[in-house]
Amino acid sequence: MSDFPRAQKLAALFAVTAVVVLTLIFVNVNEPDAEVAVPTPTVDPNATPTAVPILSQQRIPWSAIAAEIRGAADTVAPVPCPFIDERDRQDNNFLSLTPSLTFVCDVPGLEATPIAPGRVVMRVTQAPLNSEKAAIVANGKDGPWVRAAAYGTFVVIDHGSLNGVRNATSVYAGLDSISADLRVGQLVDTSTPLGRIGRLMINGELVEGVLPFELLTDDTRFGADPLRANPPPASAGAELAALLADRVRLPVTTCNLPFGNPELNVGAPREYRSGTHNGLDFNCGTTNHDIVAAADGEVLFVVDDFTEPTPEDRDVVLANAALAVDTPFWTLAMLYGRFVVIAHHLPDGTPGSDDRIVTLYAHMSEIDPNIVTGRQVSAGTVIGQVGNTGTSTAANGILDGHPSVHLHWELHVNDRPVGYLSDPSETEPLYRQMLCDVAPATPDAATTPSASDPRC
Ligand SMILES: [Zn+2]
């Protein structure tokens, strides 16, 4: 282990983080749209990195840390380079058990490869951390979707059961590009190129060939949910619904509402999705229906380049996921297809203002090009069109004019859906209260049904 003094190490890592964030803010300050693939370097990218202090730190070999990480034995490193172990800075994070390693290669162009055989469950092309994303991260309201936005371009591999652990999932972030033929659902092994690793400002120098890497096992939030063993009281959902009534509106106003059908509500049994349905399904049948933001907020995360798995690959991924009890986070996200996540905040000083509130809009056929991470939206802002991406029907090539075309919509408070672990007969009244008792429309809002809307 490193004999670097802990306080000094933490201070150094914090300084690195601050430099990275501040540098990227500076680099991107004139480019508010998250469309820029690579930040303009502040130093000559072809220059050989010189004295980068953090590179002189003592490092642990991959084999040693792999043995230390539950479920990761018999793996290989994702790139043949030394790494910085950043777990120490995770202590205020619900991912505190997630190893977060930064591999530093110093040379451009290397390919990341999987640490073990598995299936691709997520491949997302997005701009690196820019000023808007950095501001979100700096707000301190961390969560899986903020984290996903900060990954930049990334690939996720579901390894299934590994060495007695029910599920292991690995994340390869900050990529320069993803291998062109890498598909969702694809079987990969330790020789499959995932993509070229990117670059990062470290201690004020742009270092080529850096790979932020994470390993998620069922020890973490992303695996078996500790709340299942210790569920919230039944009153929790009612309290949240009362808090959010008058603040949330229907996310789609031209499709069938789920009310009256327990199968379409939160808490309905599902073979996957952790065994229960975490959202509401609005059946549309065709893709020509607008989806709108359910409340004022800011876009946290967007998956707009989803590629459908083959039906066979999809089945294998889901069969493996069924062994994990709780569907692993990113494998579940694979089922969302093309999707958007928006963060909402209750007014400062009011109850719930410290809660992490997000809405999620899944299976979209199209996403409005203005909907990018960091963008502010109003209740009623059109974010895209309904679809069936991520469903088995879409995997079979049918993308419109089918009962599978629907909006799957989720409302989470602190990373769990309102009504979590409740029966659909108990959750439906909560969502009726929130969605049908609608606040007055804002000037730029879409047409909103009133509380007397017969569909409610
Ligand atoms: Zn659904």
Side-chain angles (χ1 to χ4, degrees), residues 273 277 281 406 408:
R273 302 191 173 172
H277 196 222
D281 287 340
H406 74 285
H408 170 92

Side-chain angles (χ1 to χ4, degrees), residues 102-269:
T102 302
F103 288 83
V104 182
C105 298
D106 281 348
V107 292
L110 291 183
E111 295 271 8
T113 50
I115 61 163
R119 296 261 173 186
V120 178
V121 290
M122 185 65 46
R123 38 147 299 157
V124 179
T125 303
Q126 60 177 345
L129 195 70
N130 66 8
S131 57
E132 290 170 325
K133 289 184 188 176
I136 294 173
V137 175
N139 282 343
K141 295 206 169 187
D142 203 346
W145 305 113
V146 168
R147 197 172 184 81
Y151 282 155
T153 293
F154 69 102
V155 171
V156 182
I157 308 296
D158 183 339
H159 303 285
S161 168
L162 198 62
N163 297 345
V165 174
R166 280 178 305 212
N167 180 269
T169 299
S170 54
V171 179
Y172 309 77
L175 297 176
D176 211 26
S177 60
I178 296 174
S179 297
D181 55 354
L182 196 74
R183 294 174 290 101
V184 170
Q186 181 180 337
L187 179 65
V188 295
D189 62 27
T190 55
S191 67
T192 310
L194 300 177
R196 292 193 188 282
I197 62 176
R199 58 193 62 76
L200 201 60
M201 296 299 296
I202 297 180
N203 289 3
E205 285 200 50
L206 186 71
V207 180
E208 289 285 352
V210 178
L211 176 69
F213 169 85
E214 291 182 7
L215 180 68
L216 318 175
T217 75
D218 72 351
D219 288 329
T220 74
R221 156 73 181 86
F222 285 177
D225 189 339
L227 266 194
R228 280 184 185 277
N230 190 13
S235 59
E239 287 168 14
L240 291 174
L243 211 55
L244 295 168
D246 294 333
R247 300 185 188 278
V248 188
R249 73 182 59 214
L250 290 170
V252 62
T253 60
T254 55
C255 299
N256 294 323
L257 302 189
F259 304 132
N261 185 345
E263 282 299 301
L264 305 179
N265 280 279
V266 171

Side-chain angles (χ1 to χ4, degrees), residues 13-35:
L13 285 168
F14 187 79
V16 169
T17 309
V19 166
V20 167
V21 169
L22 290 173
T23 303
L24 288 168
I25 289 172
F26 176 76
V27 164
N28 289 292
V29 72
N30 293 322
E31 295 160 350
D33 290 340
E35 303 294 332

